[in-house]
Amino acid sequence: MKEKFAVSLMCMDFLKVGEQLNILNDWVGMYHVDIMDGHYCKNITLSPDLVKSFKKVSKLPLDVHLMTTNPEDWIDPVAEAGADIISLHAETINGQAFRLYNRIEELGLKAGLVLNPATPLSEAAHYLNRIDLLTIMTVDVGFAGQPFIEEMLDKIREAKRIREEKGYHYQIQIDGSCKASTFKKLTEAGADILILGSSGLFGLDKDLKTACAKMTESYKAALG
């Protein structure tokens, strides 16, 4: 069941990085690394240097989410730092999407795509076949703890339908407000991977092992 979950590392306790990663390695299937440049969204979070540090302890794939105005400047640095998947925002790659995905492929990495809540799947229709991971934002980009946007359930259903009709291979990942109250509706809509942050994991208990156990039980309870 751990493959159902990714963890947003921007929400972790940075005084306990090694300790927390060693715990999380046993509970989840992937790590989600948000890199924000302060321009594309009004926040600054993680960096290629932190990706390099995470890689020393992580036993899991690192999905690097580039919330950056110029993603072309970040692909090679995060690849060198140890990214396994590089996820690009549809809103930032118009005019260079195929060139950037070609570069990710050349680097031997998996390709991801991220859609903001207001961005339709149709904007990326011509390169959905190129991606391994489709991340649907269910909150606006930039900050943890925002309320879930219910309208995104239809987008998740549409992404699943397109995948089935076209024979595409991407997994559907959800970023934003994944927690006990949304686990069931997200999974039933078609989500494959849920990104856990403050409300879904780290805020459940001061002890991270206990928080992981509570998260797992809440997921089981929600899904019946």
Side-chain angles (χ1 to χ4, degrees):
M1 190 175 69
K2 60 184 288 187
E3 288 75 20
K4 296 280 186 183
F5 306 110
V7 170
S8 176
L9 296 186
M10 68 178 277
C11 298
M12 71 190 310
D13 184 345
F14 280 91
L15 294 178
K16 302 177 180 179
V17 171
E19 175 188 335
Q20 293 200 338
L21 287 176
N22 278 321
I23 292 169
L24 291 168
N25 282 334
D26 296 327
W27 289 89
V28 300
M30 185 162 62
Y31 294 129
H32 186 79
V33 182
D34 289 306
I35 293 184
M36 306 180 192
D37 62 359
H39 299 282
Y40 179 64
C41 56
K42 299 299 181 181
N43 197 2
I44 295 174
T45 52
L46 310 181
S47 69
D49 283 341
L50 280 170
V51 173
K52 192 178 297 184
S53 297
F54 296 151
K55 194 71 175 180
K56 294 176 182 178
V57 184
S58 170
K59 296 179 182 177
L60 307 174
L62 297 175
D63 168 30
V64 177
H65 175 185
L66 294 181
M67 284 182 264
T68 59
T69 302
N70 301 110
E72 65 274 14
D73 295 338
W74 296 83
I75 290 174
D76 280 60
V78 299
E80 183 179 345
D84 297 287
I85 306 167
I86 299 180
S87 291
L88 310 176
H89 265 271
E91 303 82 14
T92 68
I93 62 176
N94 186 26
Q96 57 178 340
F98 292 93
R99 182 166 61 250
L100 297 184
Y101 282 125
N102 286 343
R103 180 56 183 157
I104 292 171
E105 184 177 331
E106 289 169 0
L107 291 165
L109 304 179
K110 291 186 175 182
L113 171 70
V114 188
L115 297 174
N116 279 336
T119 303
L121 277 159
S122 59
E123 184 162 322
H126 295 296
Y127 49 86
L128 286 175
N129 63 310
R130 298 290 302 272
I131 64 171
D132 303 291
L133 185 66
L134 173 63
T135 300
I136 295 176
M137 300 293 301
T138 53
V139 299
D140 287 324
V141 297
F143 297 90
Q146 298 181 68
F148 179 74
I149 301 173
E150 290 281 341
E151 290 85 350
M152 293 305 99
L153 292 171
D154 284 338
K155 186 187 287 187
I156 298 166
R157 295 185 189 103
E158 183 184 3
K160 182 180 179 181
R161 177 185 58 78
I162 291 171
R163 180 178 64 186
E164 292 173 352
E165 289 180 355
K166 300 285 189 180
Y168 295 157
H169 66 279
Y170 56 75
Q171 288 187 290
I172 300 169
Q173 176 173 256
I174 308 304
D175 189 353
S177 200
C178 295
K179 54 187 177 181
S181 61
T182 61
F183 284 158
K184 183 178 176 65
K185 65 179 76 175
L186 289 169
T187 302
E188 289 183 344
D192 301 304
I193 302 169
L194 306 172
I195 298 175
L196 304 170
S198 52
S199 61
L201 177 63
F202 292 100
L204 299 181
D205 199 279
K206 292 181 179 179
D207 179 79
L208 187 55
K209 285 185 180 179
T210 302
C212 287
K214 287 182 177 180
M215 176 276 296
T216 301
E217 288 306 310
S218 69
Y219 179 81
K220 289 178 180 177
L223 272 293

